[in-house]
Amino acid sequence: MNHNEMLLLKLGEVVLKGLNRRSFEDRLVNNVRRRLKNCGSFQICVRQSTIYVEPKTDTCDMEAAFAACQQVFGVAAVARAVPCEKTVAAIVETAKTYLGGEFAGAKTFKVESRRADKTFPMTSIQLSQAVGGELAEAFPAVAVDVHAPSLTVHVEIREKYAYVHAPAVPGAGGLPVGMGGRAVSLLSGGLDSPVSSWMMARRGVELEMVHFVSPPYTSQQAQDKVLELARLLTPYCGRMIVHIVPFTEIQEEIRKNCPEEYFTLIMRRFMMRLAQGVAKKAGAKALITGESLGQVASQTMAALGVTEDVVSLPVLRPLIGMDKVEIICISREIGTYETSILPYEDCCTVFTPRHPATRPDLDAVREAESALDVDALVEKALSGENWVRVKA
């Protein structure tokens, strides 16, 4: 590792913000700072659409920092770079030592320059030609190819220094967590809800989770699995609270008093009421579910209308137009897939009707539900709620 090595984080969508761009940048810098706490001590500042992350000591773990920055929402790309003096000689020398390994494995290369400092005496093209010419002499086995090179050497001229870096890797994109308000996500143990939570966090939403347990029908392993899913999301979302709400009594009351074809719908209506109760206490302004249109009987358009009927908060459904293959693809990418497919039952699968209603009539469902003391059941379940703080 070069002792001078640092990270350049390119801002994504944040740069499109107008007057409130500064607050987005401040939030992003704070999120980066929080993520890097475990990697060592860093100087972090933002200038000209780039966050500069410089290690303050030799003990900083640059590998871990590089990986961590790729998971911060709001960062479009991450590059490892080395600063040097703003002269052609210094830039060439730095490229030779810092990127020597890359040159050893490359067949062709080009130099791409950018000048954020317009007082620099050469244009970007002149600088690229000067640096490229000297590097071509230093590495005669590597040909210049400006169209499709196997290695691109990036040179940036900024206020104080020039920076030399190899190609950046993609960041997580999106908006900084915390800029999109707070929402409560209904987290089951399946594939969908961790992905929908991740997608809303990527839009800057700060999450609290709610999970329903039905002992003895659901096991401790099922709850542990959900807490593990929440923990796997924390690198992206930051630490979060998982509210665990007892659901056994509600399910048993539904089974005793309501028609079987409406079990799932009435159960989901209770989940929405309880999630809204948690959201009001948490100061959250929306609910998030992992529903995808037509995926199961309770996710037809009519059924979604029936479940949403009982809440006043907006219900965000980021997966609504996605199919299972796309959802699985994201779950693999974000690291939740292997945990999601562990075989522990959650409360959705405990009382599944044999013939669920796919085109339910709202009035009929309300009528079926009127056999229950809804308010008392909701109040009792919320009073039994406990919570767990999950950290990375």
Side-chain angles (χ1 to χ4, degrees), residues 103 106-111 128-151:
F103 271 100
K107 295 208 167 21
T108 55
F109 86 101
K110 77 167 178 178
V111 177
S128 293
Q129 286 171 336
V131 172
E134 295 212 23
L135 289 175
E137 282 179 31
F139 300 101
V142 189
V144 174
D145 176 353
V146 294
H147 298 298
S150 54
L151 170 66

Side-chain angles (χ1 to χ4, degrees), residues 74-272:
V75 174
V78 185
R80 302 167 86 138
V82 171
C84 64
E85 273 180 54
K86 295 199 282 190
T87 64
V88 171
I91 291 167
V92 168
E93 211 37 57
T94 303
K96 274 164 42 180
T97 52
Y98 183 52
L99 299 177
E102 272 85 350
F103 271 100
K107 295 208 167 21
T108 55
F109 86 101
K110 77 167 178 178
V111 177
E112 211 165 86
S113 304
R114 287 180 58 215
R115 290 180 314 153
D117 171 13
K118 299 299 183 199
T119 62
F120 187 74
M122 300 167 87
T123 66
S124 300
I125 291 173
Q126 288 169 334
L127 179 60
S128 293
Q129 286 171 336
V131 172
E134 295 212 23
L135 289 175
E137 282 179 31
F139 300 101
V142 189
V144 174
D145 176 353
V146 294
H147 298 298
S150 54
L151 170 66
T152 301
V153 177
H154 293 265
V155 177
E156 295 193 34
I157 306 289
R158 300 222 163 216
E159 298 147 276
K160 288 190 189 160
Y161 302 105
Y163 294 90
V164 175
H165 63 88
V169 300
L175 293 170
V177 168
M179 293 310 293
R182 178 179 297 187
V184 164
S185 185
L186 285 76
L187 188 64
S188 73
L191 283 158
D192 303 337
S193 54
V195 174
S196 63
S197 303
W198 178 86
M199 285 176 75
M200 292 319 302
R202 194 164 182 262
R203 299 311 303 152
V205 175
E206 203 175 323
L207 301 176
E208 293 205 12
M209 304 299 198
V210 63
H211 176 63
F212 303 99
V213 293
S214 295
Y217 306 106
T218 57
S219 63
Q220 182 61 41
Q221 284 113 313
Q223 184 177 320
D224 293 344
K225 168 182 166 177
V226 166
L227 292 174
E228 174 62 12
L229 286 171
R231 196 189 62 73
L232 291 169
L233 290 170
T234 56
Y236 296 99
C237 308
R239 61 186 193 172
M240 62 178 98
I241 288 173
V242 181
H243 301 264
I244 294 164
V245 179
F247 206 60
T248 311
E249 188 180 348
I250 289 172
Q251 286 193 295
E252 288 177 339
E253 286 297 305
I254 294 171
R255 184 168 63 173
K256 273 196 301 224
N257 297 295
C258 302
E260 187 185 345
E261 78 230 52
Y262 295 145
F263 279 1
T264 309
L265 282 171
I266 294 174
M267 180 181 89
R268 290 182 87 88
R269 281 163 67 90
F270 272 97
M271 288 178 170
M272 298 302 262

Side-chain angles (χ1 to χ4, degrees), residues 254 257-263 265-267 269 273 302-303 305-307 309-310 357-372 374:
I254 294 171
N257 297 295
C258 302
E260 187 185 345
E261 78 230 52
Y262 295 145
F263 279 1
L265 282 171
I266 294 174
M267 180 181 89
R269 281 163 67 90
R273 290 183 182 105
V306 167
T307 39
D309 169 58
V310 296
T358 53
R359 289 200 205 80
D361 174 69
L362 179 55
D363 290 330
V365 175
R366 284 177 178 162
E367 175 65 32
E369 198 178 65
S370 67
L372 305 170
V374 171

